Amino acid sequence: MARKKKKKPWIIALIIFLVIFVVLPLIFIISSLFGRISPGSVIPDSYSLYMRVPNPAHLAGEALGHESLPEILSNPVFAAALPAIKGLEESGLLQKKWFRFIAAGALEGALLPGEKIPPGAPQFLAAWDSRFLSPLLRFLPALAGRVTVPGLYYVQAGKNSRFEYRNAGEPLFFGPYHNLLIVSNNPQIFESVINGHSRDGDARGSGEKPVQALEYDAALLLAPELLSEFFAALDSNKETAIEAALKKFDFSSPLALTLSVASRRLDVRITGKVLSQNPPLKRLLEQVPSSPSLTGLLPAAAQYSTILSAGTLHELYNTATVFSGPELAVSVKKADASSRAVLGLSLDDLLFSWPGKEFAVFGLEGRQNPIYAIEIADEQKRSQAFEKAFKSAAVEENIRLNLDGMRIPRIEVPAFLHSILELWGFRVPSPYYTIHSGYLFLCESAETLQAAVRSIQKNEVLPKTAIWKELSKSGPASARRDPFDSDNSSFSLYYSLDRSLPFFLKGNTLAGAVFGLYRQGLLRLNIEDGAVFVSLSVIPGSGKGLVPMPGYPLASGGALGNKVYGAVYAKAPANRIFITRDNSAISINPQDNSFREFEVGSPLWIIPAEPAPKSPDEGAAWVVSVQGRVTLVNGNMESMRGFPLITGLRLSSPPAAWGGKLYLCDEDGKVYVISLRGETVSWETEFPAALRSPPSFLDIPKSRSGAGGRWAAVYPKSFLGEIWLLDADGRPLPGWPAPVSGIAFGSPLIFTHNDRVLTAFVTQAGVLSVHDQSAAPLPPFPLEIEGVFYVQPVFDGSSLWLISAGGDLYQVSLDGTVLSQNIPNFSAREDGYLTAFDVDGDKIPEIFFSGEGNTFYGYTGNFHSLEGFPLPVWGRPSLADLNGDGKIEIVGAGLDNQLYRWQFR
């Protein structure tokens, strides 16, 4: 009898391996394919709001990696979501392939109409596709008795068995159905899915979940019924122009909104079928879309543009009358009569006969005046209209201006007529104009108009810039045309928040607050076959803007002072923020935002000790009351040994700190110096008048000057004024004081340039002087700067900067070259603040200033506004690296008595 051969061990091991790792997973995957249904198949079509997320894992990963997420989450509205988002980010799950595979199933859900259960909570139903893991859903009930979760219960009810999660709020019902995990807050809705009749009695068919965009991370559908209810509920006395306009249309299908998230870009797309029986609106909706040629003529330096190509001026006027009522027609009739009487031209000949369908307004970087562009459809009629208008007594053409070989005519009102109109309070613009590439360009600045035309002639246009390509680029290639990936548009709006604020960001709304964090954006509207397509693409900008710090703004609980100081120690956890609140001094730990208070009971100042101590247990700040009571406190607002000191001084100015000493100015014209040990001495010099501003200081290495050391500059305020340069003991340096003409505010600026010590000073009348260390005037100074000045200049390493009371920002080179730019609606008086500070580490300081209002401005040396500015703070904010990550932060007080904090990227 032959013996059976024993199988070799490696063969048995191979069989076991194949069964465990190949056969069983294959059976598992095949079984998951049977009975599969899509999440949308169980969602009723009678929804009010519908949501679709094709891949939740992908959306979560893109959202956490989105550059502007920290700024968005700094909004208090999202405070409740911060712990969950932070926990997900710290867990690292999204970086694990197995988790991304599990969470990749589609998620769909809806808010449903009907009775709200419980009252005030809308009914909802959601379904998540577990895909290949669907066989595991069948084992969920088996785990019910073995896993204990607070508030989680398993209710056995035969076919309708389910999990229930009961917390302080409404209960949630969830359980498996085929390959789906079903969740609802209504037991009847949950059971309708389990019983297979959740789709019964739908008001619409299964095709009523349209999403036109091909690529998106999340989609929302808003039912027409809900839109109609919203428009019907609008209070006509309070509705906006946009709300009133929307009432003129009939939305016949759900309004679809899709969201796509990338690391530096956000895309929002909206579409919906729109009808109207009004003839002008019906024409607008039935128009054939086209790509406006004006887009290709926008200069590369354009910072904002609006292009309208929805029809001729006649057609736009007819459309406008639908919304404006008879008032517009009456105004146009009066304008037509005036045009005939004054110019001998009808309004149709003057304005309506020659323009085409494209109109635009745009602005160039660094230039205030906008440029208007109009397509010329009939050049002969335009020429005839202009020629006849210029022959009248009301308008004339000035052709004398020639810029670099380019003649730029100007449309002017005669001087006699202009004087009469000014007496009546009318301002008549006198724009320059030119014709290029079949378009009429108009602007009140000839230089701006010339710059735009030169850019167009050189083909230096906006569509060739990286920002435009980023905003307007199409989505992935697809066999089906995506209606959003088209240059056709009836309306487009390109903006940069440095120069413009689009209409949809105005107002105090959550959407405006979120999209306001993105510096550049492109909005396009297209109408095709009765469907409206709106796309908005936004990017953060150049990446050098500001990020609001989480947890801010902080409520102060009192009236904050307008001077904020940041104290930076050897170790970041010891850093502090100092500010006054009512009659107290407070320190704030920027690590946990905790407050410490030092109450004085009278008006006071608090300034950090210089240099900063090594730890918060040492003397960190000086607290000085108006009665001359001096206290040295540590970072936790505890008095140091030997303090407080009762000096008995009548302070004539705020205190100053430098080199580990406190400087106090008295009404007797003396300056007193207090050391960290409480020792008090006075300067040797007694000034003829009290100092109304504290001394300014500069430590000068001896290697850079023949006479180094610590120098101070002061200005005893008087009409027969003079400025002083002194040593550390208050002794005047040789040649000083130097006379100045007229009254002034503040103390002189000491700075070094090319190994020379210089002192700059500006009087209230604008006489700017610069002296060398021997008090000799530096040619070509003094200079007369136009304006009234309350703030002394600052030096950025190559130029002096000044800000006038009228809002003129000046850059003055030491060779006497003066450049300026007016800051609209800005005023800087005695509370104004001006400083130069390098926030991006490029060794070129930026310029920061504030004035009378609740605004803090930031500019580059080329007069370009920094991204994110102006900020809603006043006075003197702090510029320092408080969290020790190498990035500068701004901390400032708002007029709302809240403390604000931002960080530069």
Side-chain angles (χ1 to χ4, degrees):
M1 183 176 178
R3 291 187 304 170
K4 292 183 179 180
K5 293 183 179 180
K6 292 184 179 180
K7 292 184 179 180
K8 297 181 179 180
W10 68 268
I11 296 179
I12 298 175
L14 177 61
I15 294 173
I16 295 174
F17 176 84
L18 293 174
V19 170
I20 295 176
F21 293 100
V22 177
V23 177
L24 290 180
L26 187 61
I27 295 173
F28 188 86
I29 292 173
I30 293 174
S31 65
S32 68
L33 300 177
F34 292 100
R36 289 178 56 83
I37 58 176
S38 67
S41 65
V42 301
I43 307 295
D45 288 307
S46 54
Y47 57 83
S48 297
L49 181 68
Y50 182 82
M51 177 195 70
R52 176 184 297 162
V53 180
N55 189 330
H58 176 78
L59 175 59
E62 292 293 334
L64 287 181
H66 189 59
E67 185 175 306
S68 298
L69 182 65
E71 302 173 68
I72 296 173
L73 295 179
S74 67
N75 192 301
V77 173
F78 301 106
L82 276 175
I85 294 174
K86 187 175 181 180
L88 179 61
E89 188 174 21
E90 292 177 350
S91 69
L93 286 175
L94 291 174
Q95 282 70 48
K96 301 183 184 302
K97 292 183 178 180
W98 63 266
F99 181 81
R100 294 200 303 269
F101 176 79
I102 291 175
L107 173 65
E108 301 189 31
L111 297 181
L112 306 172
E115 182 182 357
K116 296 178 181 180
I117 302 174
Q123 301 175 141
F124 76 86
L125 174 66
W128 172 66
D129 185 3
S130 62
R131 303 195 307 161
F132 300 112
L133 299 178
S134 59
L136 293 179
L137 293 181
R138 301 187 181 96
F139 296 98
L140 284 180
L143 299 176
R146 296 175 174 82
V147 178
T148 302
V149 177
L152 181 64
Y153 303 91
Y154 183 71
V155 178
Q156 292 186 348
K159 185 180 179 180
N160 294 324
S161 297
R162 58 182 179 263
F163 287 90
E164 294 185 12
Y165 181 71
R166 306 167 191 166
N167 56 10
E170 63 183 63
L172 293 178
F173 308 90
F174 62 95
Y177 179 68
H178 291 271
N179 55 298
L180 306 177
L181 181 66
I182 308 299
V183 183
S184 179
N185 63 343
N186 186 299
Q188 288 78 28
I189 294 176
F190 177 85
E191 291 176 4
S192 69
V193 176
I194 301 303
N195 294 325
H197 56 75
S198 61
R199 298 291 298 272
D200 292 346
D202 288 345
R204 297 184 292 273
S206 60
E208 289 294 328
K209 298 189 180 85
V211 178
Q212 295 289 337
L214 300 182
E215 300 287 338
Y216 59 88
D217 292 317
L220 291 176
L221 300 178
L222 194 62
E225 293 82 0
L226 197 62
L227 283 174
S228 301
E229 292 175 7
F230 171 74
F231 294 139
L234 289 176
D235 185 348
S236 59
N237 295 324
K238 299 179 180 179
E239 66 185 10
T240 65
I242 294 178
E243 292 167 348
L246 290 174
K247 284 185 175 182
K248 305 290 184 180
F249 297 95
D250 175 24
F251 292 85
S252 59
S253 66
L255 189 68
L257 181 150
T258 64
L259 176 69
S260 298
V261 184
S263 60
R264 295 194 69 249
R265 173 172 159 166
L266 199 66
D267 292 288
V268 178
R269 295 174 171 183
I270 303 173
T271 186
K273 283 284 186 179
V274 182
L275 302 174
S276 179
Q277 299 304 316
N278 187 284
L281 299 182
K282 187 176 182 181
R283 184 215 62 81
L284 180 69
L285 295 172
E286 293 176 350
Q287 68 176 324
V288 178
S290 61
S291 176
S293 301
L294 257 174
T295 304
L297 297 179
L298 294 176
Q303 283 201 317
Y304 63 89
S305 71
T306 301
I307 298 178
L308 181 63
S309 57
T312 65
L313 205 55
H314 260 305
E315 293 170 337
L316 295 176
Y317 165 70
N318 292 332
T319 303
T321 57
V322 177
F323 306 107
S324 64
E327 294 84 2
L328 179 60
V330 172
S331 299
V332 170
K333 188 175 181 180
K334 290 181 180 179
D336 181 69
S338 300
S339 178
R340 291 175 185 272
V342 176
L343 303 177
L345 288 167
S346 69
L347 207 59
D348 185 77
D349 292 332
L350 182 65
L351 293 179
F352 292 104
S353 62
W354 54 269
K357 293 185 176 182
E358 297 182 23
F359 308 86
V361 57
F362 58 91
L364 301 186
E365 181 180 359
R367 301 177 185 267
Q368 295 184 4
N369 298 99
I371 300 172
Y372 300 89
I374 303 173
E375 181 188 17
I376 301 174
D378 193 325
E379 171 57 23
Q380 183 177 358
K381 289 185 178 180
R382 184 211 63 80
S383 180
Q384 291 174 351
F386 276 43
E387 183 178 353
K388 193 169 184 179
F390 291 144
K391 288 181 179 179
S392 70
V395 180
E396 61 185 28
E397 183 181 29
N398 186 336
I399 59 173
R400 293 189 296 269
L401 181 64
N402 189 306
L403 288 178
D404 296 333
M406 179 179 176
R407 187 171 299 279
I408 304 180
R410 189 176 194 181
I411 303 172
E412 293 182 341
V413 174
F416 77 91
L417 183 57
H418 193 274
S419 300
I420 295 174
L421 292 172
E422 279 191 337
L423 291 175
W424 292 342
F426 293 104
R427 177 189 175 274
V428 180
S430 299
Y432 295 89
Y433 78 91
T434 188
I435 296 173
H436 184 76
S437 301
Y439 292 87
L440 172 67
F441 295 88
L442 303 101
C443 181
E444 288 196 68
S445 168
E447 292 78 7
T448 302
L449 189 59
Q450 182 205 33
V453 174
R454 291 285 191 241
S455 180
I456 297 171
Q457 290 173 339
K458 296 177 182 178
N459 199 28
E460 296 174 353
V461 291
L462 187 63
K464 297 178 69 175
T465 63
I467 289 179
W468 181 272
K469 291 177 181 179
E470 175 70 16
L471 289 171
S472 63
K473 66 182 180 182
S474 300
S478 172
R480 183 162 64 95
R481 187 179 75 87
D482 191 333
F484 290 101
D485 290 341
S486 170
D487 290 328
N488 296 339
S489 63
S490 303
F491 173 85
S492 68
L493 186 150
Y494 166 75
Y495 68 89
S496 172
L497 294 188
D498 298 334
R499 283 293 307 274
S500 62
L501 184 68
F503 65 90
F504 56 87
L505 293 185
K506 296 180 180 179
N508 187 22
T509 64
L510 178 60
V514 171
F515 284 100
L517 300 173
Y518 299 86
R519 306 310 302 165
Q520 277 85 31
L522 176 62
L523 173 73
R524 290 189 287 194
L525 182 147
N526 185 31
I527 302 174
E528 183 176 346
D529 297 330
V532 176
F533 302 91
V534 180
S535 67
L536 172 63
S537 299
V538 293
I539 57 177
S542 64
K544 294 185 179 180
L546 293 169
V547 179
M549 299 293 282
Y552 286 80
L554 285 178
S556 65
L560 290 178
N562 68 347
K563 292 179 174 58
V564 183
Y565 298 92
V568 179
Y569 303 124
K571 295 183 179 180
N575 294 343
R576 294 293 185 269
I577 299 169
F578 295 116
I579 192 173
T580 62
R581 180 181 63 190
D582 297 321
N583 290 329
S584 299
I586 60 174
S587 76
I588 303 167
N589 186 340
Q591 304 297 318
D592 57 12
N593 298 331
S594 59
F595 282 67
R596 293 294 182 92
E597 182 177 9
F598 185 87
E599 188 173 355
V600 175
S602 63
L604 53 84
W605 297 276
I606 182 170
I607 52 176
E610 296 286 350
K614 297 180 180 179
S615 74
D617 296 326
E618 302 177 15
W622 299 97
V623 178
V624 183
S625 73
V626 293
Q627 291 85 10
R629 183 174 184 263
V630 177
T631 307
L632 180 65
V633 298
N634 62 20
N636 295 320
M637 305 306 285
E638 300 166 339
S639 299
M640 303 303 294
R641 178 176 295 181
F643 292 92
L645 293 177
I646 309 300
T647 65
L649 301 179
R650 295 177 302 138
L651 300 184
S652 61
S653 78
W658 194 269
K661 296 180 180 179
L662 177 71
Y663 295 82
L664 301 177
C665 304
D666 190 61
E667 288 287 354
D668 62 6
K670 292 184 178 180
V671 176
Y672 294 86
V673 185
I674 301 176
S675 70
L676 295 173
R677 295 188 296 271
E679 301 165 341
T680 303
V681 297
S682 65
W683 272 1
E684 293 187 10
T685 303
E686 183 175 342
F687 301 103
L691 304 183
R692 301 303 174 187
S693 299
S696 57
F697 297 93
L698 183 66
D699 287 337
I700 304 168
K702 289 186 178 181
S703 59
R704 298 185 61 184
S705 172
R710 177 166 301 144
W711 288 4
V714 299
Y715 165 63
K717 190 171 185 178
S718 65
F719 285 99
L720 300 175
E722 53 190 15
I723 57 176
W724 299 63
L725 192 61
L726 312 101
D727 63 16
D729 297 320
R731 292 185 296 263
L733 295 178
W736 295 87
V740 293
S741 58
I743 202 74
F745 295 83
S747 294
L749 167 73
I750 316 174
F751 63 100
T752 59
H753 183 256
N754 293 337
D755 290 332
R756 293 185 300 173
V757 179
L758 303 174
T759 304
F761 191 71
V762 65
T763 65
Q764 185 178 12
V767 179
L768 175 63
S769 60
V770 178
H771 295 82
D772 63 19
Q773 65 190 51
S774 63
L778 180 72
F781 297 91
L783 296 176
E784 292 189 7
I785 310 297
E786 185 177 352
V788 177
F789 295 85
Y790 293 88
V791 182
Q792 288 300 316
V794 298
F795 187 66
D796 69 355
S798 60
S799 301
L800 292 166
W801 290 82
L802 300 94
I803 185 73
S804 74
D808 290 310
L809 179 64
Y810 289 94
Q811 182 188 44
V812 183
S813 299
L814 295 182
D815 62 4
T817 303
V818 179
L819 301 175
S820 68
Q821 177 170 312
N822 181 262
I823 312 301
N825 304 316
F826 178 81
S827 175
R829 297 181 68 87
E830 291 183 66
D831 275 338
Y833 176 68
L834 175 68
T835 188
F837 196 97
D838 180 16
V839 296
D840 54 12
D842 62 356
K843 309 300 181 183
I844 302 175
E846 285 71 34
I847 308 303
F848 301 91
F849 55 93
S850 61
E852 301 302 298
N854 194 47
T855 48
F856 184 65
Y857 293 83
Y859 277 80
T860 68
N862 296 321
F863 292 97
H864 295 162
S865 176
L866 297 177
E867 290 185 12
F869 286 82
L871 302 175
V873 295
W874 69 308
R876 182 203 187 281
S878 163
L879 290 152
D881 178 15
L882 294 173
N883 60 9
D885 63 353
K887 298 179 181 179
I888 300 300
E889 300 168 34
I890 296 180
V891 183
L895 285 175
D896 56 2
N897 289 318
Q898 294 192 94
L899 195 68
Y900 292 80
R901 185 181 174 194
W902 298 268
Q903 184 179 59
F904 282 91
R905 291 194 180 99

